[in-house]
Every structure is written in C-alpha cells, then in structure tokens.
Amino acid sequence: MNNVFVYCEIEGTTIVDVSLELLSKGRKLANTLGVQLECICAGKGLDGIEKQVFPYGVDKVHVFDAEGLFPYTTNPHASLVVNLFKEEQPQICLLGATVIGRDLGPRISSAMHSGLTADCTELEIDSFEMSIGGVKKFYENQLCQIRPAFGGNIVATIVNPEHRPQMATVREGVMKKEIVDPNYKGEVIKHDVAKYVPETEYVVKVLERHVEKAKHNLKGAPIVVAGGYGMGSKENFDMLFELAKELHAEVGASRAAIDAGFADHDRQIGQTGVTVRPKVYIACGISGQIQHLAGMQDSGIIISVNSDPDAPINAIADYVINGTVEEVIPKMIKYYKANNK
Amino acid sequence: MSLKIVVLAKQVPDTRNVGPDAMTEQGTINRAALPAVFNPEDLNALEQALRLKDQFPGSTISVLTMGLPKSAEVVREALYRGADEGFVVTDRPLGGADTLATSYTLAQAVKKIGDYDIILGGRQAIDGDTAQVGPQIAEKLGLTQVTYAEEILSLDEKARKVVIRRHIDGGVETVEAPLPLVVTVNGSAAPCRPRSAKRLMKFKNATVVAERKPEDAEKYEALIAKKPYLNIPQWGAADIDADPAQIGKAGSPTNVKAVKNIVFKAKESRTLTASDADVEGLIKELLDGKIIG
C-alpha cells in the first residue's frame, strides 16, 4: 500500500525507454520515502516481461496479459489501472509524456480525482507547511513536481497534498536510466484481466497500425546542431542540415522554429520535446527560453551563434559567436572542411 | 440524418510569437504584449467538425468555451467560419481552475447543451501544453476518446461508428470507435477554412451579456429581439449546475507551491566575432581537442 507506481509502456513486448527511465526515478523516490517500487505491465504475450524491469529495482510487477491489451486502446488500460489503484492506493504514479501516457494519464486522474502535472523536468520529495483552502497544515513527504511555467525563466513547483495518487508525466530523456542491480529480484503478480476490465470496455478497435523507427537519433547524438526562430527562414534553416552532415551531427530545433515551419515536430528540443545531453550543442539563432534550456542545459560544450549579444542562451554557453547565422554558419562549414583532414 | 457536434475551443495568449516585450521587468508575463488567439489545434478540430457538417447536411455545430467574457471572441470566430451556435462559460468562482476543475466545468456545460454525437477539441492548448482536458471530459461524461486525431475518415450513422486516423509515437494508426465520442485533434490535421464574408457580416455583433456596456442595454435588447442569433448565451457556475467543491481553485487538486525565477549560473564563456579568423580559430580548437571531427 501507498507505494510508488510506474505505468510501463510496451511496444510489442518491449518496454519503452521512457518507462525504464521512470523506473530509475521511481526507485529513488521510493528509497527516499522508504516504500516499494511497483510497476504495471499491460499488453499481450508478456511472459518474462519482469526480466526487463527487475534490474531497475522493481519490487512488484503487476502483469496484465490479454489479447485485447495490445495495441493500446484507452478504456481497457484506464480501467485496469484505476481498478488496481483502488486496491493498492499508490501515493505516486509516474507515466511517460508519450502519446499513450498523455492519453491515459488524464483519464486516470479524472477517475481518481487526483492531480496530474504534465512534462515535469524534476521530481523530488519534500516536507513543507502550506495553506490550502485557507487551512494551514504541515505536509510530510510530498512529491514536488517541477516544470517550467509559461513565460520566461520561471519554474513552478506543483504539489497535490490532499489527493492521491500524485501523478506526473515526464518526457523521454529527462530522467536517467540506471540499472540498480542486474540480479535484483522482485515479485510478479499475474492478474486476471477480466476482473479488472469488463468486456464492455473494449470499445475501440485498432484497424491498422504503422510504426516506423525514428528517422533520426537526436537523443543519442554526440553533436547537435539546433536552430531557432532567429534562423529567419526555412532556407536558412536548411544550412544547419549541411553543417550537421559535415559534423556527423543531428539537427534539432526550438519550438519557435518548429511553429514557424522551419523543421518537423519530432526535432523539437526542450521541455515539450526531446531532452538532449550531447558532447557539443551548437545553438543557432536560439534566444534561449527556459523551456528550451530545460532540454539542453546538460550538454557538454555549448556554442551559441546569435546576432543578439544579450540572448539568454549566451549565459550558459561556453562559446558565443556574435554574428548573423547567414554569415557564421557557412564559415563554420568552410573551415571545418578545410581543417578536418 | 444529421449530427450534433460540440467543438471545445479556448482563447489563449499567442505564445508562438513571443517578442522581446513578452516579459515584464519583474519577470512576469506581459499579457498585453501577447495577443489573445483561437488556440491553434482547436481550429483544426473546428475544421473536422465543419467537414462532418458538409457530409451530413443539417448537422449542427455548437462551440463551447470557458474563460473571461472576452473569450466570446473565439465563439464569434467559429461562427464566422461556419459554426451554428456558441456558449461562453464565464464566472468568477471558475477562476484558478487546473485541468481537472476545468474539465468538470466543461463536462457540466456539455451536459447542459444536452444532445451530442461527437465532441471535438484541439489536442492541447498552447498556453499549458498539457493535453489533459479532452480525456478528462471524456472520462467525466463516461465516453471513450480518440486523441491525436489527424482525420475523421468515415462516419457510419446507422452503426454509430466512426473511423479515425490518429498520430501515435513513431507512426500512425487507424481506429474505429463508437459514438458518442470525444476526439482531440492534432496540429497535423487539415487547417481550418477561412471566415465567410457573409457570416462575418451576420455575426459580427454577436455578444455575451458581460461584453455589453450597461448603457447600451436597450440597444442590444432591441437588436436581439430582432436577431436572436446575436445573443451568445453566457453561463455561470449555477447555470451549468456545477458543484462549488469541484470548480475553480477548490476543485483543483494541484497547487502551485512555489514559483522560482531561474538565474542560470553564467559560465565563463568566450565571446568571438563572426570574422574568418575567429570562426576558423574555434573550429581548429574543437578539432585539435578532438571535440568534433
């Protein structure tokens, strides 16, 4: 009872990375709280699925294995999570901020009448005094859900002391995947799915499904060349692909550049996109809103190319090149070619 | 056969064009510098609704929004583009709502509209990016949901089923879902058709009560007596039979504990110019250090 739960997202019979990252975070939260880490695996053909999660320090795996549970549809998964939570009364529930997590999380929070914070960049346990509805109380061991808030360099800490579970979604790459012990052993509980999911919940049929391997590997790239609104145009932005090709780098973009149509959505770096930690991050025409910085501030060497010497990103850059992208990027390509032998 | 369609829309600050004056010196949002706009994905949702209406003549589209009285602007915009009617939920006790209290309020308003076959809304609003309100409304109404929809491919009225193509991580899938249904529409769906000049003329004076100056009351009364469609119904918490414990701040499980201004620790950075010598020097340094190459 009152343990930390992670909903594990499963593609086929493989648990996706973001869920493993959340297990690592969940393990730490559970240690701080002195409770157990439990996870939910729902899908079909899940024999041996526990082997994928135990190394991350899971104490209890709840397995729901049935024909209708893969591919994912909303109602059966929501139903099994909600019914399990009514029995288990978890204090914390973490989900990936994926299409599935963002479809399922709000459904669960609505049914449980609990708070859900989207796209958290940090999660920690804290005790504090707080006044809610005019009543001041001391709250012990609460989950602090930290996320950049709209508008500038503001980070908000969200708590939901009066409701359980405390729910949060986190994007892929934000938390670090860490194996606790390759031989860690927990308990496997195989649930009778029919007891948790009435037949009437199988209302949506997946007629066709097409999943491709990602076209790029932004998250794992050692060098990232990223462009912002300051690139000015799609044509200018395309110079970054040229530079990236030379450097064997991947191309990322700020949200402003994507909204302006310079690059595809899946290249977005930042709080609501991908989080990257490359060896080298070259920010071109990116001013550096906190939502963007949240997704790249742990990069090794940061190079900022910006015509505005006061761009906020310059404060965290190792190298600042004061100049227009039109001038600097072709020069970078030229001198890389000339000197890389 | 015709459909009853509800479109959920939100007026949001335009976070896409954040200029240098978007922040005040105190580090808070300068709302005056950010124009209020129709949440972009709600427009994608409206287009899907309009397509259904094209396909099933006689269908009606009701637009529902919650916010300040001036959010009636999104209702007018939707009317210009082809919606049939609109409702604005606005009331002081509704303020400070998180997604859960918002979805409760909107679900209550949908119940007041009553009859519906399909409820469409944008996947998420650009001022919060949570994507929570759609699924939460579905749950509160006891309906299923299709999120991240890109296109409604077909709708079978007899079988009460709809086929939808939706975005998933790394791909697409096609699903069949029963009506009534909540659908949230992704930004990759078709853009919304423009305003019709004729409809703009017809609805440009449509207002909610709260937008009207008291001294103009008589003028509006006469106008609306003649043209009832110029009155956009305005609903408060009592009108939608809302439980005070579930709306606004009281109905919101989430609390903001702290808001912190982040000051990034300035690194010791080297500032270079765009000159050939500086750029080449940097590239050489990175190559020599085996940092690139």
Side-chain angles (χ1 to χ4, degrees):
Chain A
M1 295 286 268
N2 299 324
N3 287 330
V4 174
F5 272 69
V6 173
Y7 170 84
C8 288
E9 192 174 315
I10 300 171
E11 176 58 40
T13 53
T14 307
I15 295 175
V16 303
D17 268 358
V18 65
S19 301
L20 301 177
E21 293 161 10
L22 288 178
L23 288 176
S24 296
K25 187 70 203 184
R27 180 69 264 168
K28 287 182 194 151
L29 296 174
N31 288 349
T32 308
L33 293 165
V35 300
Q36 294 201 316
L37 172 65
E38 306 192 27
C39 75
I40 300 170
C41 295
K44 81 176 171 203
L46 299 184
D47 268 351
I49 194 82
E50 63 276 5
K51 291 191 198 101
Q52 294 180 41
V53 298
F54 281 153
Y56 297 92
V58 174
D59 299 304
K60 220 183 253 182
V61 188
H62 297 267
V63 179
F64 294 85
D65 194 337
E67 192 56 38
L69 294 180
F70 185 84
Y72 167 91
T73 59
T74 311
N75 289 32
H77 281 250
S79 179
L80 68 86
V81 174
V82 170
N83 288 326
L84 180 68
F85 280 4
K86 282 180 184 160
E87 296 170 5
E88 298 289 337
Q89 303 287 321
Q91 57 172 309
I92 290 174
C93 168
L94 307 178
L95 305 98
T98 58
V99 169
I100 288 177
R102 286 156 63 87
D103 184 86
L104 180 64
R107 190 97 195 175
I108 299 167
S109 87
S110 179
M112 307 287 298
H113 196 83
S114 64
L116 169 62
T117 305
D119 299 322
C120 296
T121 51
E122 279 175 69
L123 296 168
E124 51 195 46
I125 304 294
D126 195 12
S127 304
F128 48 83
E129 197 176 60
M130 192 174 187
S131 163
I132 295 174
V135 186
K136 203 170 205 179
K137 268 211 265 190
F138 186 76
Y139 294 98
E140 215 169 333
N141 289 334
Q142 303 294 310
L143 180 68
C144 295
Q145 303 139 55
I146 298 161
R147 75 184 305 251
F150 163 68
N153 291 346
I154 299 169
V155 171
T157 302
I158 316 284
V159 292
N160 18 329
E162 295 287 348
H163 300 269
R164 290 293 178 270
Q166 306 162 88
M167 296 180 63
T169 68
V170 179
R171 295 259 164 183
E172 186 179 347
V174 172
M175 303 300 173
K176 278 195 190 130
K177 193 164 84 172
E178 286 162 55
I179 288 182
V180 172
D181 172 3
N183 301 313
Y184 200 94
K185 279 282 167 297
E187 189 187 343
V188 183
I189 304 165
K190 292 190 171 158
H191 290 283
D192 175 5
V193 176
K195 263 177 62 190
Y196 291 83
V197 186
E199 209 48 47
T200 48
E201 293 291 344
Y202 296 94
V203 284
V204 170
K205 259 197 287 188
V206 177
L207 304 177
E208 214 184 310
R209 195 163 178 276
H210 185 70
V211 179
E212 272 179 14
K213 277 233 155 39
K215 282 184 225 109
H216 55 72
N217 178 23
L218 248 185
K219 205 178 80 168
I223 304 174
V224 171
V225 177
Y229 192 69
M231 291 305 295
S233 68
K234 180 142 191 349
E235 289 66 38
N236 278 351
F237 197 93
D238 286 344
M239 290 192 301
L240 301 182
F241 284 95
E242 242 180 280
L243 177 61
K245 199 176 147 216
E246 291 300 331
L247 298 175
H248 304 289
E250 285 288 358
V251 175
S254 73
R255 177 174 179 161
I258 281 159
D259 285 343
F262 300 166
D264 288 338
H265 276 99
D266 58 354
R267 292 194 184 271
Q268 186 185 325
I269 292 172
Q271 184 204 1
T272 56
V274 186
T275 296
V276 296
R277 295 181 180 85
K279 217 166 62 169
V280 182
Y281 191 88
I282 307 177
C284 307
I286 293 178
S287 65
Q289 291 244 328
I290 190 163
Q291 282 82 355
H292 183 76
L293 302 187
M296 49 67 68
Q297 59 187 338
D298 295 333
S299 302
I301 290 176
I302 298 170
I303 301 169
S304 167
V305 180
N306 211 303
S307 55
D308 173 10
D310 298 324
I313 199 166
N314 292 354
I316 64 160
D318 300 273
Y319 297 91
V320 174
I321 306 180
N322 281 326
T324 65
V325 290
E326 289 91 341
E327 191 181 355
V328 176
I329 292 163
K331 283 185 186 173
M332 290 176 92
I333 296 170
K334 181 176 149 196
Y335 290 116
Y336 180 80
K337 278 185 180 167
N339 290 288
N340 181 35
K341 289 185 185 97
Chain B
M1 290 288 276
S2 58
L3 297 166
K4 296 270 186 207
I5 306 163
V6 175
V7 173
L8 307 168
K10 184 180 185 186
Q11 189 177 46
V12 291
D14 192 353
T15 55
R16 294 165 304 173
N17 297 305
V18 177
D21 55 350
M23 299 281 297
T24 64
E25 276 174 23
Q26 290 75 41
T28 59
I29 310 157
N30 183 4
R31 287 196 180 266
L34 291 172
V37 295
F38 204 119
N39 179 51
E41 288 184 329
D42 296 342
L43 279 173
N44 297 105
L46 177 60
E47 176 60 25
Q48 292 300 314
L50 290 165
R51 288 179 180 201
L52 285 175
K53 191 179 165 168
D54 293 342
Q55 208 184 330
F56 300 96
S59 296
T60 55
I61 299 175
S62 310
V63 178
L64 175 63
T65 192
M66 169 178 162
L68 297 171
K70 79 177 184 121
S71 61
E73 283 166 12
V74 303
V75 170
R76 278 190 290 277
E77 187 63 44
L79 292 169
Y80 301 158
R81 294 178 194 237
D84 296 280
E85 59 176 2
F87 304 93
V88 176
V89 182
T90 182
D91 206 350
R92 198 167 283 259
L94 301 173
D98 70 1
T99 65
L100 198 67
T102 300
S103 61
Y104 169 77
T105 307
L106 287 169
Q108 288 298 107
V110 170
K111 284 183 200 162
K112 184 167 166 94
I113 293 174
D115 202 10
Y116 50 81
D117 297 298
I118 188 162
I119 299 166
L120 293 152
R123 173 190 54 138
Q124 64 188 32
I126 57 172
D127 58 347
D129 280 347
T130 71
Q132 290 173 5
V133 171
Q136 287 174 337
I137 289 175
E139 196 279 335
K140 301 234 174 291
L141 294 172
L143 305 178
T144 192
Q145 69 201 38
V146 175
T147 52
Y148 288 80
E150 295 190 320
E151 192 181 358
I152 297 175
L153 299 173
S154 65
L155 188 149
D156 183 338
E157 276 203 289
K158 274 216 188 78
R160 304 273 300 156
K161 277 185 189 318
V162 54
V163 177
I164 296 171
R165 189 185 70 238
R166 68 188 289 260
H167 165 84
I168 54 174
D169 283 317
V172 287
E173 70 179 13
T174 307
V175 297
E176 183 190 78
L179 296 178
L181 173 71
V182 171
V183 179
T184 73
V185 181
N186 203 41
S188 53
C192 191
R193 63 195 64 182
R195 302 165 168 186
S196 126
K198 217 171 109 188
R199 297 186 65 89
L200 174 65
M201 293 313 291
K202 182 175 171 186
F203 289 109
K204 67 177 181 187
N205 292 319
T207 50
V208 293
V209 174
E211 288 180 296
R212 301 168 201 157
K213 286 189 192 133
E215 59 266 34
D216 295 336
E218 256 174 61
K219 191 185 90 185
Y220 277 107
E221 206 176 303
L223 189 69
I224 288 160
K226 235 173 28 193
K227 298 174 176 172
Y229 56 82
L230 293 181
N231 179 47
I232 301 173
Q234 174 187 324
W235 292 340
D239 299 309
I240 54 171
D241 200 19
D243 169 8
Q246 293 201 56
I247 58 170
K249 193 80 199 68
S252 302
T254 59
N255 297 273
V256 178
K257 176 175 160 267
V259 175
K260 218 171 37 187
N261 244 311
I262 293 294
V263 180
F264 283 95
K265 271 185 228 122
K267 283 191 187 170
E268 235 176 85
S269 59
R270 261 178 55 200
T271 304
L272 309 169
T273 69
S275 72
D276 287 74
D278 274 12
V279 175
E280 183 164 24
L282 172 63
I283 295 285
K284 273 186 172 163
E285 193 181 317
L286 295 175
L287 277 167
D288 290 347
K290 306 241 178 296
I291 293 162
I292 56 171

